[in-house]
Amino acid sequence: MSKYLGIDSSTQSITGLLIDTENNTIVAEESINFDEHFKAAYGVENGVFDLGNGAVHSAPLMWAEALDLLLQTLKDQDHDLSQIEAIAGSGQQHGTVYLNNTAAPALQNISSALPLKDQLAGIFSRDTTPIWMDTSTSAQCAEIEDGVGGQDKLLELTGNTAFERFSGPQIRKFHQTEPDAYNNTVYIGLVSSYIASLLAGKLVGVDPGDGSGTNMMDIAAREWSLTALDATAPDLTDKLLPIAPSGQAVGTISHYFMGRYGFAKDCLVLPFSGDNPCSLIGLGLVTPGQVALSLGTSDTLFACMDQPRTSKTGEGAVFASPDGEHYMALTCYLNGSLAREAVRDIYHFDWGSFAEALRITVPGNNGGLMLPYFSPEIVPKVSEPSVVRQDLNEADAKANIRAVIEAQALSSSIHARWMGVDISSLYVTGGASANAEILRIYADVHNCPVHRFETANSAALGAALCAAHGHQSATGNAVSWQETVAPFTEPVAGSTIKPDKEAVAVYREMIVEYQALEKAHTVAS
Ligand code: ADP
Ligand code: XUL
């Protein structure tokens, strides 16, 4: 026993990750790609429908079909699913699923003889689901902020200003544009709570982690805010179930999954959360001060905070942590690998010579600075691409390479201040974390040790760890979060880079110059 399943229902795929906490191993990791299996049946492209004018939706029935295929695949691989003690999961954040009054009985009376898709096609009051890529709700964002008494009020109440992709603005738009379908809706869930509902065979509430991505949850109380609900759409107290507290089982697995895949009848279903909050756990960030940085296509900074601090200038989002106690800060920089690759390609370098350029140039770059907005930037907000050089010769390839990385590291420090986190360690993941010379600059700028962390499916791993922690607590064998995450979140051996005192001193001065340059060229910083 001691097996726990984490399921991550994300934009392009659904992933199952099975852990064994007795010998601290990941025993299975399987993904079902939506385009590969369902493009013909549903017409999705990269897992979504682009409906134009900023509207981007997906198909909740497809996710149910993919869940069946995922579990069938695990079963076919001879994994004994009867050994799983508990399941938790993660969903792409913000997406809203709308169900009619046939949903609850359909889930309860479901037969394991037929697949989910054949039995659940009629439960939707809206066949498609707006997801996080949808940017069509600017008007509704403004209306909601006005409705609660202004942007600052919404920020204070819910932890976030109104964002187009957040669930509340999407719900408001549905109510305004399709009032009849809205009235036929008896349940509004998020991607996370919808998948949990399928597994539990009953309608399940949204957890605080994903609730914080709705613009409707009181972030401090971890309950729906009546003020925010009123400003969003009518009758929401009826259509939303109460927030499902983190870590408390919502039930046991539905007989459908017992009959079809052999799950045990006492297998617990824990509340599902958003993919980012689950990644916080999957990266091992359960203590305030721990920060992770993912250097991927874009760069993302995740931090564990003790309080729900907010960013008035929209530098980041705040979510409740699924650990039930802490909060997560998330800041996203669009010009991550995009900018690193742009500089590499302009000067015809490869990653090897790129690293060499960093090695032989000096911290502080002899005063040369770059604002590396090769594409528009989210933080700080820059709407048009613009690359600014100060005391930096464009013809000097090596200095430009150093400049882009120093800019990214300095920016990651400046725009982490709103989190109020004293950064004690930085866990770096993502493709560019393979480059130790890049990590060295981050260690010196942040003046803390940097560890490399290798993970592909941190959200699914975080979910599996939530299942383990929840089950152990429910069965009287509670262990601390630290103990739960530690064996699965070890940094890569020998990867730690410690800060260099002299370089730290250089960057302490340089950051002032950099911030002044940034201020002069951007709207908010
Ligand atoms: P995503 O998950 O966003 O697709 P990944 O985390 O897989 O991105 O990172 C892929 C990126 O890593 C590539 O686009 C590339 O720019 C970058 N990368 C790979 N190796 C190196 C390296 N040695 N140095 C810097 N960047 C690298
Ligand atoms: C976070 C966000 C995305 C989704 C997609 O606010 O919109 O990261 O969670 O995975």
Side-chain angles (χ1 to χ4, degrees):
M1 299 295 265
S2 311
K3 299 243 174 77
Y4 299 97
L5 180 63
I7 294 177
D8 175 33
S9 178
S10 89
T11 313
Q12 303 205 39
S13 58
I14 186 166
T15 298
L17 189 145
L18 188 58
I19 59 171
D20 185 335
T21 55
E22 216 152 82
N23 49 22
N24 297 326
T25 51
I26 294 176
V27 285
E29 212 167 349
E30 188 61 42
S31 281
I32 302 296
N33 181 278
F34 298 144
D35 282 14
E36 191 184 324
H37 295 278
F38 306 113
K39 195 172 180 166
Y42 291 88
V44 289
E45 189 91 43
N46 298 321
V48 307
F49 309 117
D50 186 342
L51 303 178
N53 296 323
V56 180
H57 287 206
S58 190
L61 190 62
M62 175 182 76
W63 299 333
E65 199 173 344
L67 175 64
D68 262 336
L69 182 57
L70 172 68
L71 297 175
Q72 186 63 50
T73 306
L74 289 172
K75 188 179 166 202
D76 291 347
Q77 291 170 349
D78 284 337
H79 292 292
D80 180 359
L81 304 185
S82 73
Q83 292 195 352
I84 296 172
E85 312 256 26
I87 306 179
S90 125
Q92 50 170 312
Q93 291 194 261
H94 318 302
T96 34
V97 179
Y98 302 81
L99 304 181
N100 61 32
N101 60 8
T102 69
L107 288 173
Q108 201 184 350
N109 301 321
I110 198 156
S111 152
S112 50
L114 291 170
L116 292 173
K117 80 158 178 10
D118 291 351
Q119 302 182 73
L120 299 182
I123 68 172
F124 304 97
S125 54
R126 188 186 201 185
D127 286 337
T128 62
T129 292
I131 63 151
W132 65 278
M133 296 165 85
D134 191 301
T135 55
S136 67
T137 60
S138 300
Q140 289 77 15
C141 286
E143 289 161 6
I144 290 170
E145 287 184 345
D146 279 356
V148 300
Q151 190 179 73
D152 285 354
K153 183 81 186 133
L154 187 69
L155 180 67
E156 186 190 316
L157 200 57
T158 67
N160 293 292
T161 56
F163 288 108
E164 280 76 359
R165 67 187 189 285
F166 274 37
S167 322
Q170 295 291 341
I171 292 170
R172 183 171 178 83
K173 182 181 166 198
F174 181 49
H175 162 65
Q176 290 174 340
T177 55
E178 296 178 59
D180 291 343
Y182 182 82
N183 288 337
N184 280 337
T185 302
V186 302
Y187 168 90
I188 302 176
L190 300 196
V191 179
S192 54
S193 60
Y194 162 70
I195 305 287
S197 302
L198 299 180
L199 287 160
K202 62 178 186 183
L203 298 175
V204 166
V206 172
D207 91 306
D210 236 3
S212 352
T214 63
N215 283 138
M216 300 189 297
M217 191 187 81
D218 179 327
I219 184 93
R222 299 187 183 216
E223 284 169 6
W224 296 122
S225 154
L226 295 183
T227 312
L229 295 186
D230 280 350
T232 301
D235 306 323
L236 281 176
T237 40
D238 298 334
K239 298 184 200 293
L240 294 164
L241 292 177
I243 295 281
S246 304
Q248 287 181 27
V250 294
T252 50
I253 195 150
S254 148
H255 60 267
Y256 173 85
F257 297 94
M258 291 158 52
R260 211 167 165 91
Y261 304 111
F263 281 91
K265 79 170 184 328
D266 51 0
C267 172
L268 293 180
V269 179
L270 276 295
F272 278 36
S273 190
D275 53 0
N276 291 302
C278 283
S279 281
L280 188 75
I281 305 293
L283 294 168
L285 307 186
V286 293
T287 306
Q290 290 179 318
V291 177
L293 179 69
S294 168
L295 300 176
T297 306
S298 54
D299 292 347
T300 345
L301 191 80
F302 289 65
C304 177
M305 304 190 289
D306 56 354
Q307 296 295 321
R309 286 194 197 82
T310 56
S311 162
K312 279 203 169 13
T313 47
E315 287 164 293
V318 178
F319 306 121
S321 167
D323 73 7
E325 186 186 343
H326 299 115
Y327 295 86
M328 130 170 240
L330 173 77
T331 301
C332 184
Y333 305 88
L334 194 70
N335 283 278
S337 284
L338 286 173
R340 292 184 285 275
E341 284 175 15
V343 171
R344 182 199 62 182
D345 294 344
I346 290 167
Y347 299 104
H348 307 291
F349 277 48
D350 58 23
W351 289 129
S353 47
F354 190 99
E356 181 59 17
L358 295 176
R359 200 162 22 242
I360 61 178
T361 48
V362 292
N365 215 11
N366 299 314
L369 290 176
M370 178 196 284
L371 296 180
Y373 311 132
F374 289 87
S375 300
E377 183 51 78
I378 300 171
V379 179
K381 198 166 182 171
V382 179
S383 42
E384 295 292 331
S386 68
V387 177
V388 176
R389 291 178 175 83
Q390 179 175 292
D391 299 329
L392 180 67
N393 178 358
E394 195 174 346
D396 184 342
K398 296 186 178 90
N400 276 266
I401 286 172
R402 175 163 279 278
V404 73
I405 303 298
E406 287 186 339
Q408 291 177 326
L410 291 166
S411 178
S412 77
S413 173
I414 292 166
H415 299 290
R417 288 179 188 150
W418 68 272
M419 302 172 184
V421 166
D422 190 11
I423 301 179
S424 56
S425 64
L426 204 53
Y427 289 78
V428 188
T429 73
S433 69
N435 193 321
E437 295 306 319
I438 294 180
L439 303 194
R440 198 173 309 286
I441 295 175
Y442 277 88
D444 294 338
V445 165
H446 285 274
N447 189 17
C448 72
V450 166
H451 316 277
R452 191 148 74 79
F453 191 90
E454 236 163 48
T455 175
N457 291 313
S458 57
L461 174 60
L465 293 170
C466 285
H469 190 269
H471 177 261
Q472 286 155 357
S473 306
T475 51
N477 302 308
V479 285
S480 71
W481 271 107
Q482 287 285 8
E483 287 170 285
T484 304
V485 302
F488 290 90
T489 55
E490 286 286 321
V492 173
S495 69
T496 302
I497 295 177
K498 296 212 176 100
D500 171 83
K501 272 206 187 95
E502 280 176 28
V504 169
V506 170
Y507 289 127
R508 201 168 286 142
E509 295 198 357
M510 190 181 190
I511 202 164
V512 180
E513 287 282 310
Y514 182 85
Q515 192 166 12
L517 183 67
E518 191 191 270
K519 269 220 164 88
H521 290 271
T522 58
V523 192
S525 59

